[in-house]
Amino acid sequence: MNPQKTFENLPDEKRQRILSEATREFADHGYHQASINTIVNKLGIAKGSLFKYFGNKQGLFEYLFGDAISQFKQPLKAIRDTDSGDFFQRIEKSFLASGAFTQSHPHLYRIYLKMLFNENFPLREKFLTEIRRAHDKFLRQLVEDGIASGQLRKDLDIDITVFTIHSIFDRFLQSHTVPTLDHGVGPSGQSLEDLAQAMTDLLRHGLTESPN
Amino acid sequence: MNPQKTFENLPDEKRQRILSEATREFADHGYHQASINTIVNKLGIAKGSLFKYFGNKQGLFEYLFGDAISQFKQPLKAIRDTDSGDFFQRIEKSFLASGAFTQSHPHLYRIYLKMLFNENFPLREKFLTEIRRAHDKFLRQLVEDGIASGQLRKDLDIDITVFTIHSIFDRFLQSHTVPTLDHGVGPSGQSLEDLAQAMTDLLRHGLTESPN
Amino acid sequence: MNPQKTFENLPDEKRQRILSEATREFADHGYHQASINTIVNKLGIAKGSLFKYFGNKQGLFEYLFGDAISQFKQPLKAIRDTDSGDFFQRIEKSFLASGAFTQSHPHLYRIYLKMLFNENFPLREKFLTEIRRAHDKFLRQLVEDGIASGQLRKDLDIDITVFTIHSIFDRFLQSHTVPTLDHGVGPSGQSLEDLAQAMTDLLRHGLTESPN
Amino acid sequence: MNPQKTFENLPDEKRQRILSEATREFADHGYHQASINTIVNKLGIAKGSLFKYFGNKQGLFEYLFGDAISQFKQPLKAIRDTDSGDFFQRIEKSFLASGAFTQSHPHLYRIYLKMLFNENFPLREKFLTEIRRAHDKFLRQLVEDGIASGQLRKDLDIDITVFTIHSIFDRFLQSHTVPTLDHGVGPSGQSLEDLAQAMTDLLRHGLTESPN
DNA sequence: TATGAATGAGAGTTCATTCAT
DNA sequence: GATGAATGAACTCTCATTCAT
């Protein structure tokens, strides 16, 4: 029988405990340095069980992160399907929604960040491309809508604009998720909401006024 | 005798070869996946020698990266000491100078990126704080100069502004250093110079116009 | 209740399928490398069932091979009960009958060959002795009949003769059962019948005397 | 540095102990069932050392058996280079020389026998072909010499003859090397020398012609 | 009776570190 | 000072066996 099925037939609580513990281990140590031994010891289950469920270490990681990817995308979809035509309102909502997600799933987000700069994660190309594409597609549509509706300057370079928003987006998320990165500098003392609004304002003025 | 002294008494060329090879290994594989075996084999020196020089793997890394930190800071100092009063000109110069540095020291920059999101690097806190502080101090001074000279809006939140410029800065560097991160989206096809100018323009409009 | 009884109460077809699949697995991989997992997966039955039937891996093997031993002996009995008095005709018939058996039960014969030189098979001593004794008893009677009837030299050493015939017998069987053992040398291209006749002739005349 | 070199630089005594212990383990348990743990524990050396010497389990086996192959061939070469023209004398010498070899290297010979009937040995094809070819080439030359010099019948089928001698050869060796295969039947009680002579005589005269 | 999830000892393998030469 | 052989803890992974359902 499909062994992954075995895992999915487990009681919900146990399944969540396993995924959660494994996620934490990968978040703390990255892929190669994460230890199956540590995971099963903390969980109090047999080593063999984990391998029954996922085949091998890579299988566990792929299951766990593939699962996370779809959750990553949820907030964005919700925003895009909003019928509000206001560009900056949607941007701000996006900031907040993504921030909320990374704050409630800090381990997943830390895995993502590790993966970004560590070439050794399995399926790294596939996963990163998937995330990147989703983000870009989402932002591009927002920008195009904004230009079409006259809220943004007609002469904006869409590539650059998407790239810039994306950059600020990323940094915004990072600053509120990875605690040890804040060393008393930067605006991290402020609330998520304040920061989101301030950044939206900054974008507002950069993107709307025509240059002389 | 202080064993690190042993290393510093080595012929310059040998010292450079060792640091260079070790840097490449850490850049390629991160800290834990980097292999002392690989390094000494490529160098053709005895394993024991490396441990004599640096005590252990961590000692090697700390020596190597501590050495690099000062180089990291060079481009910024050069800009700050420029007497040009034009804010956006200095920003653009900073983009270009940092871009030039990361392009000429790709291994160091890749170590930095890995370290950013991997908690397992030795002395990570210390090193990152040092880099971050230098950057922030530099940008803060630029922004304050810009406001004082009337080139920037008086009502700018300095923390947010520094943070935002820093974000775009980082993303700008990443996009020109980590090749596999570009998946056909984003403005990566453009030249370093074009991109620097475009981002500066975007900042110019976001930071100068007063809101209504 | 005797758990092996459970197995014998199974429908004939299922019992045969189980024995057949297990035999194939042991023939392919020997005793220790044979995998209970593989067997039950191919059969589509529960792992626990197999252990209920046979207690453990060794029990399965002993049941299966003990069952086979009696089949091994069949061809020899048939020859011995032939009343033909011609020694070499009976030898040739034996060659052919055994060859036919190993060709129709290749898995059993491969298990036998593996067992011959692998001390780790369970009940190896018992099984091999049983097979060897049956063969020797059969050949010894043929040789004694041959001497008594004047077809063989009176001064033959019976032990040596039986041993020699046995040797050629074994080699003959092996050459037609284990395909990968022939590497372009030896007479393997010939048919079973041709080979049987040639070897019988060789036994008849030896290497020096010219045939009439 | 070439790690196998490390092994070859070891003191002779240690090298022999390692090879001997490993050979015994493979002889006792075959390839897959042989345990590196057992070997290093019996030797009292670190597990890592064995892997330094040979890379992995397969490397150990290949080194060990490849080394043995050349030793296997030595006795045959010695016979072939003998200028004695007497066919049966050379055959008898071959029996004795090979018997002496397998008796003084019983573990190697047991590995060979296991390999013959177990498909899972690494490099099995290569090793077996090498041994088989050497034997066949040797016997073929003896038979051809025997026919040319008139000692053997002109009409002998060389393939069949070589095959038959080979068969008796193999069985002869087996009977004197694998102790547990003798179950009170067969001529194993006799000395190596007696058996060799008896089999040579049998080959000389066949089973029917009375000796003069 | 039949099931298949859980187990855990043991497998092969890696690698930073030590230390006698 | 330089060497590299030796170490052993830790790693991922396997599989016969058990037992609650």
Side-chain angles (χ1 to χ4, degrees):
Chain A
M1 172 167 320
N2 178 7
Q4 190 169 297
K5 187 77 177 303
T6 300
F7 178 69
E8 276 160 2
N9 283 341
L10 251 41
D12 242 48
E13 194 211 12
K14 186 169 185 181
R15 258 184 46 229
Q16 288 309 321
R17 273 188 65 233
I18 292 174
L19 288 180
S20 165
E21 193 60 51
T23 303
R24 181 202 318 277
E25 178 72 9
F26 282 120
D28 283 350
H29 301 105
Y31 180 74
H32 285 288
Q33 208 57 18
S35 159
I36 297 285
N37 275 337
T38 302
I39 294 173
V40 296
N41 287 340
K42 282 192 180 166
L43 285 171
I45 67 172
K47 215 186 290 193
S49 297
L50 215 60
F51 283 91
K52 240 325 189 314
Y53 302 152
F54 303 106
N56 53 27
K57 189 183 188 177
Q58 178 164 340
L60 166 61
F61 179 75
E62 289 177 10
Y63 184 94
L64 170 164
F65 198 73
D67 210 49
I69 290 263
S70 48
Q71 293 181 261
F72 258 119
K73 295 180 180 173
Q74 295 312 321
L76 302 183
K77 281 191 187 134
I79 308 288
R80 192 176 48 196
D81 298 343
T82 298
D83 50 1
S84 154
D86 187 282
F87 173 79
F88 293 102
Q89 193 174 328
R90 289 166 100 189
I91 284 285
E92 191 172 344
K93 267 192 188 167
S94 304
F95 275 134
L96 286 171
S98 293
F101 176 81
T102 55
Q103 277 190 323
S104 62
H105 301 74
H107 297 317
L108 286 177
Y109 189 59
R110 283 168 61 213
I111 293 177
Y112 165 72
L113 291 175
K114 283 196 163 63
M115 187 188 266
L116 254 185
F117 300 107
N118 192 321
E119 293 82 355
N120 295 305
F121 277 76
L123 290 195
R124 176 179 178 268
E125 281 286 311
K126 172 181 167 295
F127 282 143
L128 289 186
T129 302
E130 196 175 345
I131 295 170
R132 172 79 67 113
R133 283 245 164 80
H135 257 126
D136 273 324
K137 188 174 155 201
F138 167 75
L139 289 177
R140 185 169 300 268
Q141 176 162 349
L142 249 60
V143 169
E144 284 170 350
D145 286 357
I147 292 176
S149 67
Q151 299 179 71
L152 299 185
R153 288 160 29 197
K154 302 282 183 211
D155 62 338
L156 276 180
D157 180 314
I158 294 181
D159 281 340
I160 295 274
T161 305
V162 167
F163 176 79
T164 304
I165 300 176
H166 204 164
S167 303
I168 297 179
F169 223 96
D170 274 3
R171 223 14 184 8
F172 168 79
L173 293 179
Q174 291 171 23
S175 75
H176 274 271
T177 310
V178 187
T180 59
L181 282 180
D182 296 311
H183 307 285
V185 295
S188 59
Q190 311 188 21
S191 77
L192 194 63
E193 287 73 17
D194 288 348
L195 188 54
Q197 189 179 349
M199 303 197 76
T200 307
D201 277 351
L202 190 116
L203 282 173
R204 190 190 308 268
H205 297 295
L207 300 177
T208 52
E209 311 300 323
S210 62
N212 310 334
Chain B
M1 176 178 307
N2 176 9
Q4 189 169 299
K5 192 75 180 304
T6 303
F7 177 67
E8 277 160 359
N9 284 339
L10 251 40
D12 240 49
E13 193 209 13
K14 186 170 183 184
R15 262 182 45 229
Q16 287 310 318
R17 273 188 64 233
I18 292 175
L19 289 180
S20 164
E21 194 59 53
T23 303
R24 182 203 315 277
E25 179 72 10
F26 283 119
D28 283 349
H29 302 107
Y31 179 73
H32 278 104
Q33 286 304 108
S35 159
I36 296 286
N37 270 327
T38 301
I39 294 172
V40 296
N41 285 340
K42 282 191 180 167
L43 286 172
I45 68 173
K47 213 186 293 193
S49 297
L50 216 60
F51 281 86
K52 264 291 202 317
Y53 301 152
F54 303 106
N56 53 25
K57 189 181 188 179
Q58 178 164 339
L60 166 62
F61 178 76
E62 289 175 8
Y63 185 95
L64 168 165
F65 199 72
D67 206 50
I69 289 267
S70 51
Q71 295 181 261
F72 259 119
K73 297 179 181 173
Q74 296 311 322
L76 302 183
K77 282 191 188 133
I79 307 289
R80 194 175 49 197
D81 299 346
T82 298
D83 51 358
S84 154
D86 187 282
F87 173 79
F88 292 103
Q89 193 174 329
R90 289 165 101 192
I91 285 285
E92 191 172 343
K93 265 193 190 166
S94 304
F95 276 135
L96 287 171
S98 293
F101 175 80
T102 55
Q103 279 188 324
S104 62
H105 300 73
H107 298 318
L108 286 178
Y109 188 58
R110 283 169 61 214
I111 293 178
Y112 165 73
L113 290 177
K114 285 194 163 65
M115 185 191 267
L116 254 186
F117 302 108
N118 195 322
E119 293 83 350
N120 296 308
F121 275 77
L123 290 195
R124 176 178 177 269
E125 285 285 311
K126 171 180 168 297
F127 283 141
L128 289 185
T129 302
E130 197 173 344
I131 295 170
R132 173 76 67 108
R133 282 244 166 79
H135 256 125
D136 273 327
K137 188 174 152 200
F138 166 76
L139 289 177
R140 184 169 301 268
Q141 174 161 351
L142 249 60
V143 169
E144 285 169 352
D145 287 357
I147 291 177
S149 67
Q151 298 178 74
L152 299 184
R153 286 158 35 197
K154 302 283 183 211
D155 62 338
L156 274 181
D157 179 315
I158 294 182
D159 281 341
I160 296 273
T161 305
V162 166
F163 176 81
T164 305
I165 299 176
H166 204 163
S167 303
I168 297 180
F169 224 95
D170 273 4
R171 216 36 181 348
F172 167 80
L173 294 179
Q174 290 170 24
S175 75
H176 274 272
T177 310
V178 189
T180 57
L181 283 180
D182 296 310
H183 306 285
V185 295
S188 58
Q190 310 189 20
S191 77
L192 195 63
E193 288 72 16
D194 289 347
L195 189 55
Q197 187 178 351
M199 303 195 77
T200 306
D201 278 351
L202 191 113
L203 282 174
R204 188 190 309 269
H205 298 295
L207 301 177
T208 52
E209 311 299 323
S210 62
N212 310 333
Chain C
M1 177 179 305
N2 176 8
Q4 189 170 299
K5 193 74 179 303
T6 302
F7 177 68
E8 277 160 359
N9 284 339
L10 251 40
D12 241 49
E13 194 212 13
K14 186 172 182 181
R15 262 182 44 229
Q16 287 309 318
R17 272 188 65 234
I18 292 175
L19 290 180
S20 164
E21 195 57 55
T23 302
R24 181 204 316 277
E25 179 71 11
F26 283 119
D28 283 349
H29 302 107
Y31 179 73
H32 278 105
Q33 285 304 107
S35 160
I36 296 285
N37 271 327
T38 303
I39 294 172
V40 296
N41 286 340
K42 282 192 181 168
L43 286 171
I45 68 172
K47 212 187 294 192
S49 297
L50 216 61
F51 281 86
K52 263 293 200 319
Y53 301 152
F54 304 106
N56 54 24
K57 190 181 188 178
Q58 178 164 341
L60 166 61
F61 179 76
E62 290 175 7
Y63 186 96
L64 169 165
F65 199 72
D67 208 50
I69 289 268
S70 49
Q71 294 180 262
F72 259 119
K73 296 180 181 172
Q74 295 311 321
L76 302 183
K77 282 192 187 130
I79 307 288
R80 192 175 49 198
D81 299 344
T82 299
D83 50 1
S84 153
D86 186 281
F87 173 78
F88 290 102
Q89 194 174 327
R90 289 165 101 191
I91 284 285
E92 191 172 345
K93 265 192 189 169
S94 303
F95 276 136
L96 286 172
S98 294
F101 175 79
T102 56
Q103 279 189 324
S104 63
H105 299 73
H107 297 319
L108 287 177
Y109 188 59
R110 283 169 62 214
I111 292 178
Y112 165 72
L113 290 177
K114 285 195 161 66
M115 185 189 266
L116 255 185
F117 302 108
N118 194 322
E119 293 84 352
N120 295 307
F121 276 78
L123 291 194
R124 176 179 177 269
E125 283 284 312
K126 171 180 167 298
F127 284 142
L128 288 186
T129 302
E130 197 173 344
I131 295 170
R132 172 78 68 109
R133 282 243 166 81
H135 256 125
D136 273 328
K137 188 174 154 200
F138 166 75
L139 289 177
R140 184 169 299 268
Q141 174 160 353
L142 250 60
V143 169
E144 283 169 352
D145 287 357
I147 290 176
S149 67
Q151 298 179 72
L152 299 185
R153 284 159 34 197
K154 300 282 183 212
D155 63 337
L156 276 180
D157 180 314
I158 294 182
D159 281 342
I160 296 273
T161 306
V162 167
F163 176 81
T164 305
I165 299 176
H166 204 161
S167 303
I168 296 180
F169 223 96
D170 273 3
R171 216 38 184 352
F172 168 81
L173 294 179
Q174 290 170 23
S175 74
H176 273 270
T177 310
V178 188
T180 57
L181 283 180
D182 295 311
H183 306 286
V185 295
S188 60
Q190 311 188 19
S191 77
L192 195 62
E193 287 73 17
D194 288 347
L195 189 55
Q197 188 178 351
M199 303 196 75
T200 307
D201 279 351
L202 191 115
L203 281 175
R204 191 192 309 267
H205 299 295
L207 301 177
T208 52
E209 311 300 321
S210 61
N212 311 335
Chain D
M1 169 164 324
N2 178 7
Q4 191 169 297
K5 188 76 178 305
T6 300
F7 177 69
E8 277 160 0
N9 283 340
L10 251 41
D12 242 48
E13 194 210 13
K14 186 169 185 183
R15 258 182 46 228
Q16 288 309 322
R17 272 188 67 232
I18 292 175
L19 288 181
S20 164
E21 194 59 53
T23 303
R24 182 203 316 278
E25 179 72 10
F26 282 120
D28 282 350
H29 301 105
Y31 180 74
H32 284 287
Q33 208 57 20
S35 161
I36 296 285
N37 276 337
T38 302
I39 294 173
V40 296
N41 287 340
K42 282 191 182 168
L43 286 172
I45 68 172
K47 217 189 289 194
S49 296
L50 215 61
F51 283 90
K52 233 341 181 307
Y53 301 152
F54 304 105
N56 54 26
K57 188 182 188 178
Q58 180 164 339
L60 167 60
F61 178 75
E62 289 177 9
Y63 184 94
L64 169 164
F65 199 71
D67 209 49
I69 290 263
S70 50
Q71 294 181 261
F72 259 118
K73 294 179 179 173
Q74 295 311 322
L76 302 183
K77 281 192 187 131
I79 307 289
R80 194 175 48 197
D81 298 346
T82 297
D83 50 0
S84 154
D86 187 282
F87 173 78
F88 290 102
Q89 192 174 328
R90 288 165 102 191
I91 284 284
E92 192 173 342
K93 265 193 188 165
S94 304
F95 276 136
L96 286 171
S98 294
F101 177 81
T102 55
Q103 277 189 324
S104 62
H105 301 74
H107 298 316
L108 287 176
Y109 189 58
R110 283 167 62 213
I111 293 177
Y112 165 71
L113 292 175
K114 283 195 163 61
M115 186 189 265
L116 254 185
F117 300 106
N118 193 320
E119 293 82 353
N120 295 306
F121 277 77
L123 289 195
R124 176 178 177 269
E125 281 286 311
K126 172 181 166 297
F127 282 143
L128 289 185
T129 302
E130 196 174 344
I131 295 170
R132 173 78 66 111
R133 283 245 164 80
H135 256 125
D136 274 323
K137 189 174 153 202
F138 166 76
L139 289 178
R140 184 170 301 268
Q141 175 163 348
L142 251 60
V143 169
E144 285 170 351
D145 287 357
I147 292 176
S149 66
Q151 298 178 72
L152 300 184
R153 285 159 34 197
K154 301 280 182 215
D155 63 337
L156 275 181
D157 179 314
I158 293 180
D159 281 341
I160 295 274
T161 305
V162 166
F163 176 79
T164 306
I165 299 175
H166 204 161
S167 302
I168 297 179
F169 223 95
D170 273 3
R171 221 26 184 357
F172 167 80
L173 294 178
Q174 290 170 24
S175 75
H176 273 271
T177 310
V178 187
T180 58
L181 281 181
D182 295 311
H183 306 286
V185 296
S188 58
Q190 311 188 20
S191 78
L192 194 63
E193 287 74 16
D194 289 348
L195 189 55
Q197 188 179 349
M199 303 197 76
T200 308
D201 279 349
L202 191 116
L203 281 174
R204 190 191 310 267
H205 300 293
L207 300 177
T208 52
E209 310 299 324
S210 62
N212 309 336

